[in-house]
């Protein structure tokens, strides 16, 4: 199977393969998660083996799990330009909120005519930055609570007073 790396590909789960997908998902779920000691590989129908990177193994595991649970899977090149609605859907926010993020410079975008387009790589970068800021905020709050001696205090419910 040869595909152009620029193509988008969406696969919907096939009811005809439901049991095979469930069995494969359970098999993969039962494999060791620390595969650095063992090299994953694929085997062709002719019995030829090909080593695969751990990232590809994990990706295949997620794809099989999604299909086994009757969720479709899309594979999209990271250099794909998304509409503002597609970008908002990817982030799980409204389109107006996404447009605000674009206009304030939080996420890079380009314009095609009057329409904004967002690179998937820029969205992924924004998600990573946001996650790191959240983790740093949690770290700071934890350190502050530990310093104040309130780390193990139980929050009080204002209605129970």
């Amino acid at each position: 199977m040869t595909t152009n790396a620029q193509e988008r590909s969406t696969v919907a789960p096939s009811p005809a393969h439901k049991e095979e997908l469930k069995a494969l998902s359970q098999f993969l779920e039962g494999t060791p998660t620390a595969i650095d000691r063992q090299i994953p590989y694929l085997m062709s129908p002719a019995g030829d083996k090909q080593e695969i990177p751990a990232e590809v193994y994990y990706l295949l595991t997620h794809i099989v799990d999604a299909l086994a649970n009757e969720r479709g899977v899309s594979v999209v090149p990271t250099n794909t330009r998304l509409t503002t609605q597609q970008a908002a859907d990817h982030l799980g926010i409204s389109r107006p909120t996404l447009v605000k993020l674009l206009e304030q410079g939080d996420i890079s975008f380009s314009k095609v005519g009057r329409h904004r387009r967002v690179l998937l790589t820029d969205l992924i970068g924004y998600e990573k930055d946001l996650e790191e800021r959240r983790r740093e905020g949690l770290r700071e709050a934890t350190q502050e609570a530990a310093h104040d001696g309130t780390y193990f205090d139980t929050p009080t419910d204002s209605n129970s007073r």
Side-chain angles (χ1 to χ4, degrees):
M1 177 174 112
T2 307
T3 59
N4 180 344
Q6 298 298 316
E7 290 180 22
R8 296 178 190 197
S9 178
T10 300
V11 178
S14 168
H17 301 291
K18 184 176 182 175
E19 293 307 314
E20 291 100 332
L21 286 169
K22 283 279 188 197
L24 181 56
S25 178
Q26 289 172 347
F27 168 78
L28 291 171
E29 196 175 286
T31 60
T33 54
I35 62 173
D36 33 88
R37 291 179 295 228
Q38 300 171 345
I39 299 170
Y41 64 88
L42 293 176
M43 185 180 292
S44 75
D48 299 324
K49 290 182 182 180
Q50 174 64 51
E51 291 181 7
I52 60 172
E55 297 85 17
V56 173
Y57 175 81
Y58 288 124
L59 178 62
L60 291 173
T61 300
H62 289 295
I63 290 170
V64 169
D65 181 61
L67 292 173
N69 288 296
E70 300 181 7
R71 297 188 312 266
V73 175
S74 293
V75 177
V76 182
T78 56
N79 66 345
T80 299
R81 293 192 181 279
L82 303 175
T83 65
T84 52
Q85 186 60 61
Q86 290 170 323
D89 291 345
H90 176 86
L91 294 175
I93 60 176
S94 70
R95 196 185 71 75
T97 300
L98 175 82
V99 170
K100 281 184 196 174
L101 293 172
L102 298 177
E103 294 301 327
Q104 47 189 58
D106 292 350
I107 304 171
S108 299
F109 70 96
S110 61
K111 279 201 166 184
V112 178
R114 303 176 322 156
H115 303 284
R116 296 174 191 88
R117 295 291 183 260
V118 181
L119 273 174
L120 181 57
T121 52
D122 291 334
L123 278 183
I124 293 168
Y126 173 77
E127 286 178 307
K128 287 180 180 176
D129 290 345
L130 186 60
E131 180 63 26
E132 183 54 39
R133 288 193 306 252
R134 286 180 179 154
R135 286 179 192 260
E136 183 58 31
L138 182 58
R139 236 184 325 269
E140 289 173 5
T142 301
Q143 287 176 348
E144 187 177 305
H147 183 269
D148 294 345
T150 59
Y151 182 78
F152 292 106
D153 289 356
T154 306
T156 57
D157 184 2
S158 60
N159 294 333
S160 63
R161 291 181 194 186

